[in-house]
């Protein structure tokens, strides 16, 4: 990998640190050739600290190491993307990112939908919505709806109407997310279990 360390007068290139699993950006550091080489040799992310004027392995004092998974070089060969498995919080102030964000897996629209369902669950006694009414009726009704939607998916899978199949699939996924919330779980809990099964 031909990193252009000579592009900047101090011989440092930016290194964007990204969580390999969640894809969240954790921090930004700087590497010179020596720091990059040590990172590769030890599989622990090492920077050149401008304030300490020396190599600095993240976690050398706290134990919150950034274990290297892989890396990529940008199109101009002067910025690194370092993908890591973080051990504990990344920021020296104790947060999981240097922007004080929660390093949680985000599933885009499905995560947004989970938040809406959770909000309606927590306000079921005052909320006027289909979801709130399901939570008011209890776990048996929610589980029954999942069963009904699963049966309808099976029926539509045997036919050739793709639109109906997709609609029933959406209904099943929606009600399954409601059931997860009713059982105090999230989609992320299921994903983690599936990942464990593939390891």
């Amino acid at each position: 990998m031909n990193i252009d360390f000579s592009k900047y007068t101090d011989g440092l290139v930016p290194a964007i640190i990204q969580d390999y699993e969640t894809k969240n950006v954790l921090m930004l550091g700087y590497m010179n050739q020596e720091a990059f080489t040590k990172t590769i040799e030890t599989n622990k992310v090492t920077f050149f600290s401008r304030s300490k004027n020396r190599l600095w392995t993240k976690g050398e004092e706290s134990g919150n190491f950034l274990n290297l998974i892989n890396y990529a070089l940008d199109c101009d060969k002067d910025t690194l993307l370092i993908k890591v498995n973080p051990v504990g919080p990344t920021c020296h102030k104790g947060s999981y990112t240097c922007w004080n964000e929660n390093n949680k897996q985000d599933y885009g629209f499905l995560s947004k939908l989970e938040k809406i369902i959770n909000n309606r669950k927590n306000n079921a006694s005052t909320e006027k919505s289909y979801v709130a009414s399901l939570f008011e009726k209890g776990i048996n009704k929610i589980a029954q709806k999942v069963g009904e939607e699963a049966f309808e998916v099976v029926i539509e899978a045997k036919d050739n109407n793709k639109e109906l199949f997709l609609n029933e699939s959406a209904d099943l996924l929606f009600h399954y997310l409601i059931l997860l919330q009713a059982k105090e779980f999230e989609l992320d809990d299921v994903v983690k279990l599936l990942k464990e099964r593939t390891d």
Side-chain angles (χ1 to χ4, degrees), residues 5-54:
F5 290 105
S6 66
K7 187 164 186 175
Y8 304 104
T9 55
D10 55 10
L12 301 176
V13 298
I16 300 164
I17 309 302
Q18 181 186 47
D19 188 305
Y20 180 74
E21 291 290 336
T22 67
K23 309 306 180 198
N24 293 323
V25 174
L26 304 178
M27 67 172 288
L28 171 69
Y30 294 89
M31 290 184 177
N32 59 11
Q33 178 68 67
E34 190 179 2
F36 178 74
T37 300
K38 186 173 181 183
T39 296
I40 301 304
E41 289 175 348
T42 64
N43 284 324
K44 305 277 189 226
V45 175
T46 298
F47 302 102
F48 183 84
S49 171
R50 295 174 295 173
S51 59
K52 299 173 184 176
N53 197 34
R54 65 170 177 84

Side-chain angles (χ1 to χ4, degrees), residues 47 78 87 98 125 127 145 155 163:
F47 302 102
D78 61 4
V87 178
C98 288
S125 60
E127 178 83 28
K145 283 299 296 180
I155 295 301
E163 184 177 349

Side-chain angles (χ1 to χ4, degrees), residues 60-93:
E60 63 187 22
E61 295 177 3
S62 66
N64 297 331
F65 292 102
L66 298 171
N67 295 317
L68 176 67
I69 302 296
N70 60 42
Y71 55 88
L73 186 61
D74 80 331
C75 57
D76 291 325
K77 300 184 184 298
D78 61 4
T79 302
L80 286 161
L81 177 63
I82 309 288
K83 298 182 182 182
V84 302
N85 177 20
V87 178
T90 296
C91 183
H92 68 285
K93 292 186 175 180

Side-chain angles (χ1 to χ4, degrees), residues 142-159 164-173 175-176:
I142 295 170
Q144 178 187 337
K145 283 299 296 180
V146 172
E148 290 171 4
E149 298 301 341
F151 180 73
E152 289 173 9
V153 167
V154 171
I155 295 301
E156 294 303 331
K158 294 184 175 186
D159 291 333
L164 280 178
F165 173 72
L166 283 177
N167 274 295
E168 295 301 344
S169 297
D171 289 345
L172 174 58
L173 180 55
H175 286 89
Y176 178 63

